[in-house]
Amino acid sequence: MFNRTSLQAAAALASISLVSGCGVFSDSESAGDQRIVIGTTSSPTTLDPAAAWDNSWELFRNVFQTLVSFPTGSTTPQSDAADCKFTDTSSRVFECKLLDGLKFSNGHNLDAEAVRYSIERIRTINHKGGPNGMLGSLDKIETVGDRTIVFRLNKPDATFPFVLATPAMSLVDPAEYPADKLRTDGKLVGSGPYVLDAYEERKTAELTKNQSYKGFAARKNGGVTIKYYDRSDDMVAALRKDEIDATYRGLTAEEVVGLQDDKPENKGLQLVESTGADIRYLVFNTQDPTVAKLAVRKAIAQIVDRDELVNKVYQGTAEPLYSMVPKGIGAHTTKFFDRFGTPSNKKAKKILRDAGITEPVELTFWYTTDRYGSSTGAEFAELKRQLDSSGLFTVTLNGKPWKEFQAGYQKGEYPVFGRGWFPDFPDPDNFVAPFIGEENVLGTPYVSPKITGELLPKSRRESDRGTVTDEFVEAQEIMVQDVRLLPLWQGKLYIAAGEDIGGGERALDPQTVMQLWELHRRASW
């Protein structure tokens, strides 16, 4: 039979409901001894945390530790390698005390100096597109003895614990990682739940239990093999042939819908659905003379029909998004709908004509062919159709594999390009701050003094994150006026697995990073 499990995320993506058409499994043997094989189309771009602000986090979360983390069901940082807290009332001094007896998988001690080294090398290397941008509020790091680390911030920042909880802040062994350059030997050493025994880029990663691990993760399997696929249909075929036990990231809408059907090829499969906070959006690079014209950006915003895009391409596996802060996160709004209303070619034409633009605008849209699943090509084909059919635009499409695509947008080569955002942490700050400023994650400067100079600093003084709604609502209004980013849709995440695999409903943390230790094989059905 086909089984559908639904993981419903409420305001903070944490509440879990399980709907199942069959009974509960009982194990006749230890689930902790069983190995799990998982497939994904999201392969790491690097094995060094100092360079990663992307899907490499999937692997890092399971091999490295961070000082604090998001255990299943938590939306605020909890203890991982350390117990941490602000020791002042202005959110500028954050102190952590390491758990006793921590070691890296190679037997070396994980002490306060290793923590300081791990964070400082991120700042020293300052890899383009890497996580150093997350540490803008960090002034200096002090160590007290072997177990205490004090982070002194240059300004109030109540989001700093959330930053430390991201896999970007993975703790590394100073003996294994150079202080001023990236590690490039294809290996990694951490103190997390698993050890990376073998790795072949874009093919496989072999994980076994880290016998010296001390942390919150209760490992429910004996190890994990990750298989990386270039094509999602190959991944689904492998699942149906029992070559893998589960899939994560990369399923197309057609594949999700197909897996929901009660047909013979789905016998023995289940689908876990998570209402996540991952979003897709367009980026406008104003260094391009055409895109620099506000009227051009507004006209595009006036034409794009999100409902049609979602219905045609994603078939109910996504929903329209009208702000950069998605549903389920505090301060979510519908500002783009409030400003532009329903799609209208007539209104778009007036916007352009009022700006003196009378000829069809020629633009090239760029997208990645292998990062967000194979539906991305169909998505951009639909965007092109909508804009071309208005008679106001002539759009050319170009797609590149992620590594080439990333290098191109970081150099400012693309006038308009598509990006996705999987949250670093569940807070509205993380859907605004990374995209604003001279240096941001998009490689296209977006200066907004009001947001960076007033609204973000004000919000970061508040440790009660539920009280910062007004600041982020105002920030989103500014972003609508500027139309530098155009939100398109908010996705859902799916884990497809055999019926004998348990734990899928608990495997996604608030960053939608897979917690592989939750997956286990059930002995009977």
Side-chain angles (χ1 to χ4, degrees):
M1 66 176 296
F2 173 78
N3 217 22
R4 182 186 179 92
T5 299
S6 179
L7 178 63
Q8 300 295 341
L13 311 174
S15 64
I16 298 175
S17 64
L18 181 62
V19 181
S20 177
C22 296
V24 177
F25 291 96
S26 59
D27 291 341
S28 61
E29 58 181 334
S30 172
D33 295 332
Q34 302 297 310
R35 189 168 191 85
I36 302 296
V37 182
I38 186 170
T40 180
T41 62
S42 182
S43 60
T45 60
T46 176
L47 294 187
D48 193 321
W53 198 347
D54 58 20
N55 50 305
S56 304
W57 286 11
E58 301 289 354
L59 186 61
F60 295 170
R61 173 57 74 208
N62 293 279
V63 178
F64 292 103
Q65 276 184 293
T66 46
L67 290 170
V68 289
S69 189
F70 292 105
T72 300
S74 171
T75 57
T76 56
Q78 307 293 320
S79 174
D80 188 354
D83 294 320
C84 303
K85 63 181 180 180
F86 280 107
T87 58
D88 65 338
T89 58
S90 62
S91 300
R92 293 187 62 165
V93 182
F94 193 67
E95 184 174 303
C96 295
K97 186 172 183 180
L98 290 170
L99 304 182
D100 189 30
L102 292 177
K103 291 183 180 297
F104 291 104
S105 59
N106 60 7
H108 296 175
N109 290 334
L110 198 175
D111 55 16
E113 176 55 27
V115 174
R116 187 203 63 77
Y117 183 94
S118 298
I119 308 301
E120 287 290 6
R121 75 183 290 267
I122 294 173
R123 300 209 292 177
T124 300
I125 294 172
N126 192 22
H127 183 76
K128 188 172 180 60
N132 186 38
M134 303 174 71
L135 295 170
S137 64
L138 179 59
D139 182 16
K140 59 182 178 180
I141 307 172
E142 300 171 352
T143 60
V144 181
D146 290 336
R147 293 176 56 194
T148 301
I149 308 99
V150 180
F151 297 92
R152 298 195 181 276
L153 309 183
N154 53 37
K155 54 190 173 184
D157 186 2
T159 70
F160 188 72
F162 291 82
V163 172
L164 290 181
T166 67
M169 302 299 142
S170 296
L171 304 179
V172 302
D173 181 1
E176 297 274 357
Y177 290 82
D180 57 357
K181 61 182 179 180
L182 299 178
R183 183 174 184 174
T184 58
D185 62 359
K187 300 178 181 179
L188 56 79
V189 174
S191 60
Y194 297 97
V195 174
L196 180 66
D197 281 342
Y199 178 76
E200 189 173 359
E201 187 175 4
R202 299 182 67 88
K203 291 188 177 181
T204 60
E206 298 288 347
L207 307 180
T208 57
K209 282 185 177 180
N210 178 4
Q211 299 303 321
S212 61
Y213 171 68
K214 290 185 178 181
F216 69 86
R219 293 161 295 186
K220 299 176 182 177
N221 55 61
V224 180
T225 296
I226 305 174
K227 291 188 176 182
Y228 299 110
Y229 292 86
D230 292 328
R231 294 168 50 92
S232 60
D233 55 347
D234 291 337
M235 180 174 67
V236 173
L239 176 68
R240 287 180 167 139
K241 290 187 290 186
D242 291 327
E243 294 173 355
I244 59 176
D245 298 308
T247 73
Y248 179 59
R249 291 212 194 280
L251 292 175
T252 66
E254 292 81 7
E255 287 161 349
V256 170
V257 171
L259 285 164
Q260 293 171 348
D261 290 341
D262 187 14
K263 48 190 178 182
E265 58 263 40
N266 290 335
K267 184 178 180 180
L269 299 181
Q270 60 174 319
L271 192 68
V272 179
E273 177 187 299
S274 169
T275 306
D278 61 309
I279 65 174
R280 298 294 184 275
Y281 56 96
L282 291 179
V283 182
F284 297 106
N285 181 2
T286 55
Q287 295 175 349
D288 178 87
T290 301
V291 178
K293 298 173 182 177
L294 179 59
V296 169
R297 307 196 302 272
K298 283 186 174 181
I300 293 173
Q302 185 64 72
I303 292 171
V304 169
D305 190 330
R306 295 168 177 80
D307 285 313
E308 193 165 16
L309 174 68
V310 167
N311 290 335
K312 280 189 174 181
V313 179
Y314 292 101
Q315 304 179 44
T317 63
E319 56 185 315
L321 182 65
Y322 296 95
S323 79
M324 290 299 290
V325 179
K327 290 182 180 179
I329 300 292
H332 166 73
T333 70
T334 57
K335 290 290 186 181
F336 272 90
F337 183 83
D338 299 340
R339 175 60 61 91
F340 294 100
T342 57
S344 171
N345 293 342
K346 182 178 179 180
K347 290 181 180 178
K349 183 175 182 179
K350 185 176 188 306
I351 291 171
L352 292 173
R353 298 299 182 262
D354 287 349
I357 301 172
T358 59
E359 297 295 324
V361 178
E362 296 185 3
L363 285 174
T364 300
F365 281 29
W366 294 78
Y367 64 94
T368 175
T369 58
D370 61 353
R371 174 73 186 275
Y372 307 122
S374 54
S375 294
T376 306
E379 174 184 340
F380 274 78
E382 173 59 18
L383 288 171
K384 170 180 167 59
R385 187 199 66 78
Q386 292 182 14
L387 292 165
D388 286 356
S389 64
S390 72
L392 303 173
F393 289 90
T394 301
V395 175
T396 300
L397 299 181
N398 274 322
K400 284 188 174 183
W402 173 249
K403 281 192 174 182
E404 296 177 47
F405 174 79
Q406 185 180 41
Y409 77 69
Q410 288 176 349
K411 294 177 183 176
E413 294 177 352
Y414 309 149
V416 185
F417 58 96
R419 279 295 312 270
W421 186 250
F422 297 98
D424 301 327
F425 49 84
D427 188 276
D429 187 282
N430 193 233
F431 292 90
V432 175
F435 313 121
I436 310 295
E438 285 283 355
E439 295 185 6
N440 58 49
V441 300
L442 303 172
T444 57
Y446 175 13
V447 177
S448 176
K450 176 75 171 181
I451 295 177
T452 57
E454 179 181 334
L455 297 176
L456 288 177
K458 183 179 179 182
S459 72
R460 288 172 175 173
R461 289 193 288 268
E462 295 292 339
S463 58
D464 181 358
R465 303 306 294 162
T467 65
V468 298
T469 298
D470 290 347
E471 289 84 355
F472 287 104
V473 168
E474 186 174 353
Q476 290 174 83
E477 177 60 37
I478 294 170
M479 295 171 81
V480 170
Q481 294 171 8
D482 295 341
V483 199
R484 290 293 306 279
L485 306 168
L486 185 66
L488 296 173
W489 55 269
Q490 175 176 352
K492 301 175 184 178
L493 295 176
Y494 294 89
I495 299 173
E499 281 185 328
D500 63 329
I501 300 299
E505 73 281 359
R506 293 179 55 83
L508 299 174
D509 74 359
Q511 301 154 305
T512 64
V513 172
M514 179 71 95
Q515 300 180 137
L516 294 175
W517 56 84
E518 294 286 358
L519 298 177
H520 58 274
R521 191 180 309 281
R522 294 154 163 167
S524 61
W525 171 248

